[in-house]
Amino acid sequence: MTENRLQNMAVYYMERYGGTEKSLRMTLGRKITASLREHPDQDTDAIAEWVDTVVGRLKSYGYVNDGEYARVRIARLTAKGKSKRQIIGDLKAKGIDTDTISDAVPDFIDTNTDIQAVATYARRRRLGIYAFVMDADITQYLESYDSYGTPAHTQHRKDLAKCGRQGFAYDISVRALLGEE
């Protein structure tokens, strides 16, 4: 294992898959472990320094940019109908630090975006008014809310519970299930 080989592996990985600094380090770690199994006489301290050097070099070239990765990932997850809580959890799982997340999230997510995300989720899962085909069924669904705005029918409660489990707020879920985008 040489520093040049390690850099070639890192560039190939980032070109093909993209990702965060954490994912790059994990991938290089797996490759180094496999190399050490075949050639146990290698200097592990030198290899660890090479990893830091290669990752730093790729960051300076722009191959590794956690902020840009976070923005692209947020846009993709928002389009899928994921809640703000799910998006933040996903970014943390990818190894993006809290400061980068807090910088990227407000650019994409506000109340209207959350309502659109709930509506997208409801359409995909056929919840609320998106579960009905006929206009008469939609009227029945809309009339099933009592004067306090809470669902009177069991299915409506189930729909709200599904939205809640996805991390959406109750008031936003009610608005989206009623078709108020």
Side-chain angles (χ1 to χ4, degrees):
M1 176 78 56
T2 64
E3 183 176 359
N4 190 30
R5 172 127 172 83
L6 200 61
Q7 181 167 338
N8 289 340
M9 288 188 291
V11 169
Y12 175 77
Y13 173 78
M14 292 306 290
E15 283 178 346
R16 177 124 191 233
Y17 303 107
T20 62
E21 181 180 346
K22 177 184 173 185
S23 66
L24 176 61
R25 286 184 182 276
M26 287 175 50
T27 300
L28 292 177
R30 285 192 302 272
K31 293 191 179 288
I32 290 168
T33 302
S35 176
L36 287 174
R37 268 185 261 143
E38 296 295 322
H39 309 285
D41 57 331
Q42 296 181 44
D43 184 14
T44 56
D45 294 333
I47 293 174
E49 289 177 23
W50 293 343
V51 169
D52 293 335
T53 304
V54 166
V55 170
R57 197 175 298 146
L58 290 183
K59 284 176 89 170
S60 68
Y61 295 159
Y63 278 102
V64 180
N65 186 346
D66 287 352
E68 184 62 29
Y69 179 85
R71 283 186 276 287
V72 169
R73 187 89 177 148
I74 289 169
R76 187 178 303 135
L77 293 175
T78 302
K80 279 185 168 182
K82 300 294 182 182
S83 70
K84 182 178 179 179
R85 290 179 189 142
Q86 283 183 319
I87 291 171
I88 290 171
D90 180 79
L91 293 175
K92 285 182 180 178
K94 294 288 183 183
I96 299 175
D97 63 347
T98 310
D99 294 334
T100 306
I101 292 172
S102 62
D103 290 344
V105 168
D107 295 342
F108 290 93
I109 299 175
D110 58 2
T111 305
N112 291 334
T113 309
D114 236 6
I115 291 172
Q116 292 170 351
V118 177
T120 302
Y121 174 73
R123 263 187 240 107
R124 274 190 20 237
R125 297 295 305 265
R126 296 186 179 171
L127 305 176
I129 64 167
Y130 306 106
F132 301 103
V133 179
M134 308 283 280
D135 289 336
D137 293 335
I138 293 173
T139 306
Q140 177 187 5
Y141 181 83
L142 295 175
E143 290 172 355
S144 67
Y145 279 79
D146 62 16
S147 59
Y148 298 108
T150 56
H153 190 270
T154 306
Q155 185 59 43
H156 310 301
R157 289 188 183 131
K158 288 181 179 181
D159 291 349
L160 285 171
K162 288 176 185 176
C163 291
R165 284 191 292 274
Q166 293 301 313
F168 296 111
Y170 178 81
D171 57 336
I172 294 173
S173 298
V174 168
R175 288 175 52 194
L177 291 177
L178 291 174
E180 299 173 12
E181 292 186 41

